[in-house]
Amino acid sequence: MLETGYLRETQTKIAFDKKALPLIRNSPVITQSVATFIENTSYPEQSVEGFKHLGTGNHSIVYGFGNIALKLSTGFTGKLAYKYGVAIPPENLILQSQFLTTLGNHIDKNNINDISIPKQFFAARTASGNFLSLHENLEEKMTMSEWIVENKLTIPEEIELLNTTKGRILTLLSSFSLKKGLNDLGLEPGASLSSRNIMIPKDTTDPASAELNIIDQPSKGAIHSIGGILNNMFYMSTKNDFDSLDDFLDV
C-alpha cells in the first residue's frame, strides 16, 4: 500500500510512495502543477496547461511531462462530462493508485513475467473533491485498442486477440485474491476484454505475446466500494499530517 497523509493548510488527502518523493521534489514544474491543482478550486485543469495530452477516459484526462503522467479527474474532465454537458462524479484516484500498487506488489513478489503495472507515485483528493494522481509515463506504449485500429484488424481477428489476451491475464495472475477487482477489464465469464485498459509496446508485431501493462483499475463495482472502505480504514490508522505541500515534500 502507499503511505497516506493529510495537508492541513489545503485540507487535502494524499497517498504516496515515499521513494518517489525525490522524483516530484526535484521537478519544479511538477511541484507547481500539483500546487496549482490543489489550490485552484474553480479551474484545477489549469495545472496541466502546456503539458502533452496523452488520453481521455470517461471520467478523467491524462497528460505527460517527462517520465511522469498526470491524471486528473474532476466533475468536468472526461468524455461523459463533455457528452452530457453536466458535472459527472470523478474517479477516486487515491483508491485506484492503492489498488494498482497492491496488484504491482503481487506481480513483483511472485516474479510474474509479461505483465506489469505503471508505478504509482502520488495521489490526492482536494477539499473540492477533485482527484489527481502522478504515475509512470508509459509514452513508449499504446493501448491495445489503438493497436487494433492502427493495424486494421478484422472483427474476427480482434475477437481472437482479446480472448487470447484475457486467457493470458487470468493465467498470469493465477489465484490473486483481488483479481475480481479488475472490474474495468472484463475478466468475468462471458465479458469482452476491455482493450483500452491494456497497454502494449508500440513497436510490437505480435500483441498476443507482447508484455501487457494494466491501467485504470478499479473504477466501479463491489470491489471499488469494499476497497474504498478498507482504504479509509488504512488511511485513518496510518496517515501522516503535514502543514502544507511544501512541508510534505521536505520529508
Side-chain angles (χ1 to χ4, degrees):
M1 296 286 284
L2 300 174
E3 294 190 47
T4 60
Y6 187 74
L7 310 182
R8 287 189 289 260
E9 183 179 77
T10 53
Q11 300 177 30
T12 302
K13 183 178 178 180
I14 60 174
F16 59 95
D17 178 355
K18 201 167 186 177
K19 294 179 181 178
L21 288 185
L23 186 65
I24 303 171
R25 185 188 301 124
N26 295 333
S27 175
V29 174
I30 292 296
T31 56
Q32 182 57 55
S33 178
V34 173
T36 299
F37 184 86
I38 291 173
E39 296 166 4
N40 192 332
T41 57
S42 60
Y43 183 46
E45 294 83 2
Q46 184 182 24
S47 61
V48 291
E49 286 185 349
F51 290 1
K52 182 178 180 180
H53 174 248
L54 300 180
T56 302
N58 285 335
H59 300 273
S60 58
I61 194 163
V62 184
Y63 289 83
F65 182 82
N67 55 358
I68 294 180
L70 302 91
K71 183 174 183 179
L72 283 61
S73 189
T74 75
F76 298 97
T77 55
K79 297 175 181 178
L80 293 181
Y82 178 80
K83 178 179 179 179
Y84 295 109
V86 296
I88 300 293
E91 290 181 275
N92 185 332
L93 298 186
I94 290 182
L95 175 58
Q96 189 173 105
S97 292
Q98 291 283 31
F99 181 87
L100 288 172
T101 298
T102 301
L103 178 56
N105 289 340
H106 170 79
I107 289 170
D108 292 341
K109 180 180 179 180
N110 292 277
N111 297 312
I112 299 174
N113 297 317
D114 296 330
I115 191 168
S116 60
I117 306 299
K119 295 177 182 176
Q120 305 295 304
F121 304 139
F122 173 85
R125 182 190 186 277
T126 71
S128 302
N130 299 318
F131 287 90
L132 167 73
S133 69
L134 308 181
H135 59 267
E136 181 183 6
N137 187 356
L138 304 177
E139 199 167 11
E140 77 284 359
K141 299 180 185 292
M142 66 192 309
T143 65
M144 184 170 281
S145 60
E146 290 171 331
W147 193 96
I148 288 170
V149 172
E150 188 173 292
N151 288 270
K152 300 178 180 178
L153 266 62
T154 64
I155 292 178
E157 289 172 334
E158 178 180 351
I159 292 173
E160 181 180 0
L161 173 59
L162 296 184
N163 287 338
T164 298
T165 303
K166 182 175 178 176
R168 285 182 66 202
I169 294 172
L170 289 171
T171 299
L172 288 168
L173 293 183
S174 186
S175 60
F176 178 52
S177 59
L178 291 181
K179 188 161 54 179
K180 289 186 178 180
L182 296 169
N183 47 32
D184 235 14
L185 204 55
L187 295 182
E188 59 270 23
S192 177
L193 187 72
S194 177
S195 55
R196 61 184 172 81
N197 285 334
I198 298 173
M199 301 194 77
I200 57 178
K202 290 180 178 178
D203 60 357
T204 187
T205 57
D206 183 13
S209 62
E211 180 184 350
L212 308 174
N213 198 287
I214 297 176
I215 61 173
D216 297 353
Q217 307 293 320
S219 296
K220 58 186 178 182
I223 295 295
H224 175 93
S225 300
I226 294 170
I229 295 171
L230 294 176
N231 188 54
N232 286 335
M233 292 173 59
F234 180 77
Y235 170 78
M236 293 305 298
S237 64
T238 66
K239 75 170 184 176
N240 306 283
D241 280 340
F242 304 96
D243 288 333
S244 64
L245 179 63
D246 288 340
D247 179 40
F248 161 67
L249 290 174
D250 284 339
V251 172

